[in-house]
Structures are given as C-alpha cells and as structure tokens.
Amino acid sequence: MSFVAKTPEEEIKIFEQFYDYIKDFSDTALYHWTEYEVKKMKNLAGKNPQDAAKLKALCSICYDLKVSVNKQFYLPAPSFSLKAAAPAFGFNWRQDDCGAMDSMVYFTNWLKTGNQDLLNKVLMYNEDDCKAMLVLENKLKEADVLDLKK
C-alpha cells in the first residue's frame, strides 16, 4: 500500500490514513534511517494540533536503525547512508538511477507532469528502502543486538 500526497495540505491526511492503517501500535515499530521522518511528523504536529496525538503516537513507535547498525557493526562503506549500508548486508536496490535526491526530483516532476512512470520510480525506490530496513532488522535480530526499548 502506498500513501501519496500531491500537495502539502494532503500531507496530514496521509499521516491520518497511515495511523488508521497501523491499527495495533503495541506490536509495531516504524523503522527509519536518520531523524528526517520523525522531525517531519513533529513539525506537522505543531501545525496541526487536531492531529498532534496521532502524530506523537507514530513518533513513539519510530526506531532509527542507523543508530543500531552504527553501534553494532563496522561497515566497509564510503558513507553511512542506508544506500551504502544495506549492500554490506546483501541488499541492493532494483534501480541504479534513483537515490533519495533523485526520487525527490522525480516526485516534483510527477507533480508537474502527471507522468505515472516518474511516480512509479519513486514508489519502487521507497519500497526498496523499506525492504532494506527489513533486511537490516533481520540482521540485527540474527546478531541478537536489536533492542527496540527506548
């Protein structure tokens, strides 16, 4: 399932839909790599007091896998981006021509042109990011070093 906002005004609706989609917060962890997503939700909570409780609930189940991986493993990678770390654990993206910055450009161009191929590239990139997180979660569990307690 994809959650896509076409305008900044739709962004809060996407988070509301995602909140409703989760259903069981007691058995859910939202993995991310760096704090971008959490900062975004906190910023939206400040601008949308009617949804602040939902956004704070989402933030409360967020877990930065970058912190765990960085703490537990030395990676032979030129940087510590997700795109550099995940291949060290055997994961590779399906697209060679789409990174984080590229996906932002594709998304912006999709908004301007409506070209569905551009959005499909972004969705595939984001799906692969999620799959990379799953691979990293499994590797951390195998090493018995994933601690979701905050």
Side-chain angles (χ1 to χ4, degrees):
M1 171 169 272
S2 301
F3 299 90
V4 180
K6 292 181 182 177
T7 66
E9 295 76 30
E10 287 181 8
E11 204 168 35
I12 191 64
K13 292 176 186 167
I14 297 305
F15 281 106
E16 290 171 353
Q17 290 171 4
F18 185 63
Y19 176 91
D20 293 339
Y21 175 78
I22 290 178
K23 293 186 177 80
D24 183 7
F25 278 66
S26 67
D27 193 31
T28 302
L30 297 179
Y31 295 130
H32 56 96
W33 195 267
T34 74
E35 290 294 317
Y36 175 82
E37 290 83 0
V38 174
K39 286 180 182 178
K40 185 72 169 176
M41 286 188 284
K42 287 179 179 178
N43 185 19
L44 278 173
K47 294 178 181 177
N48 299 277
Q50 73 281 5
D51 291 301
K54 289 181 178 181
L55 289 161
K56 287 178 184 174
L58 289 171
C59 289
S60 74
I61 59 172
C62 285
Y63 187 82
D64 189 347
L65 281 182
K66 181 180 181 181
V67 172
S68 289
V69 171
N70 194 23
K71 216 187 276 186
Q72 301 298 332
F73 298 99
Y74 168 78
L75 299 182
S79 73
F80 214 76
S81 69
L82 178 60
K83 202 90 180 216
F89 293 95
F91 183 83
N92 291 294
W93 278 253
R94 292 174 282 176
Q95 303 175 96
D96 292 330
D97 64 339
C98 191
M101 297 303 289
D102 301 308
S103 70
M104 289 184 234
V105 171
Y106 292 143
F107 186 79
T108 300
N109 288 336
W110 168 71
L111 289 172
K112 291 177 184 175
T113 66
N115 181 340
Q116 188 63 35
D117 290 338
L118 296 171
L119 180 61
N120 290 343
K121 287 182 82 60
V122 173
L123 294 175
M124 183 185 291
Y125 172 76
N126 287 336
E127 180 181 334
D128 283 354
D129 270 4
C130 293
K131 289 177 179 179
M133 294 286 190
L134 182 59
V135 166
L136 292 170
E137 173 197 32
N138 290 334
K139 293 297 183 183
L140 288 163
K141 284 181 177 178
E142 285 174 20
D144 199 26
V145 294
L146 183 63
D147 181 13
L148 296 178
K149 297 176 187 95
K150 293 186 177 186

